[in-house]
Amino acid sequence: MFKIGDILMLEPKYTPQKEKFNCMVVEMGTGCFYMDFPIDVETGKIAFFMDGTQFNVTFSNEEQAVYVFESEVLGKVKGRIPMMQLLLPEAETFVKIQRRQFVRLDVTLDTAIHPEIPSLSLFSHINGGYQRWRSFHKAFKRHCNSIGIAIIPVDGAYVEIR
């Protein structure tokens, strides 16, 4: 769950254009929370919404896990700072999402794998965490748990993966 001082991203649900707004949680209530007026991410201008406007609200917790939930504007409150009151659903309705900031491309790379037995291999997936590949050499398939080195051409140089 989020707490006072956390930054939320609001995305209005029923609008023709994709808009995003940032705001900060300033107070927690029973079944609701209060935030400062949202600021449009693109224009930097303060946004005003009518009561009943529905949003998808996104936030990240201390472990950097991203969650989304549905909410709506319940009203506006005048205090030391102007605030908007939004519906706070049960925490069980929050959905954990995974956001990635990269794009997967289907490309063919010339590769060479050099374990104890040289073989012709095909990489089917390479990313920052692991590589998936398939060997066409029967003897190598039996020793696929052994450590090998993959040499991949990148921008005119070669990258070595152990």
Side-chain angles (χ1 to χ4, degrees):
M1 182 122 140
F2 56 90
K3 59 188 180 312
I4 294 173
D6 284 353
I7 303 297
L8 306 178
M9 178 172 288
L10 306 176
E11 297 178 52
K13 289 180 69 170
Y14 303 108
T15 58
Q17 65 272 17
K18 277 290 205 189
E19 296 175 304
K20 293 184 180 184
F21 302 90
N22 286 332
C23 62
M24 182 185 296
V25 177
V26 292
E27 196 173 318
M28 300 297 290
T30 305
C32 66
F33 65 96
Y34 301 88
M35 61 179 201
D36 59 357
F37 279 90
I39 297 174
D40 190 311
V41 172
E42 287 185 23
T43 65
K45 294 183 179 181
I46 294 176
F48 299 95
F49 297 101
M50 297 186 322
D51 294 0
T53 303
Q54 296 181 347
F55 294 99
N56 285 325
V57 181
T58 307
F59 71 96
S60 60
N61 62 7
E62 300 86 31
E63 293 86 31
Q64 300 302 314
V66 179
Y67 292 88
V68 66
F69 64 92
E70 295 179 358
S71 185
E72 70 178 79
V73 177
L74 298 177
K76 295 167 188 62
V77 178
K78 292 182 181 178
R80 288 191 336 227
I81 59 170
M83 299 180 284
M84 287 179 54
Q85 180 184 19
L86 269 73
L87 175 69
L88 180 61
E90 297 293 324
E92 294 82 34
T93 63
F94 293 8
V95 177
K96 185 175 181 180
I97 59 174
Q98 182 176 6
R99 290 198 172 170
R100 297 180 181 222
Q101 299 297 324
F102 59 87
V103 177
R104 294 177 192 247
L105 301 174
D106 188 19
V107 297
T108 302
L109 294 174
D110 294 328
T111 59
I113 296 185
H114 298 284
E116 298 171 4
I117 304 167
S119 68
L120 174 62
S121 301
L122 172 69
F123 274 86
S124 61
H125 181 84
I126 301 173
N127 69 27
Y130 76 103
Q131 305 82 40
R132 184 184 327 149
W133 50 275
R134 190 173 78 202
S135 175
F136 298 106
H137 193 283
K138 289 180 183 178
F140 186 73
K141 286 181 183 179
R142 287 194 301 262
H143 300 23
C144 64
N145 290 334
S146 64
I147 296 173
I149 301 170
I151 301 171
I152 303 170
V154 177
D155 293 331
Y158 288 92
V159 176
E160 191 174 292
I161 301 172
R162 292 187 181 264

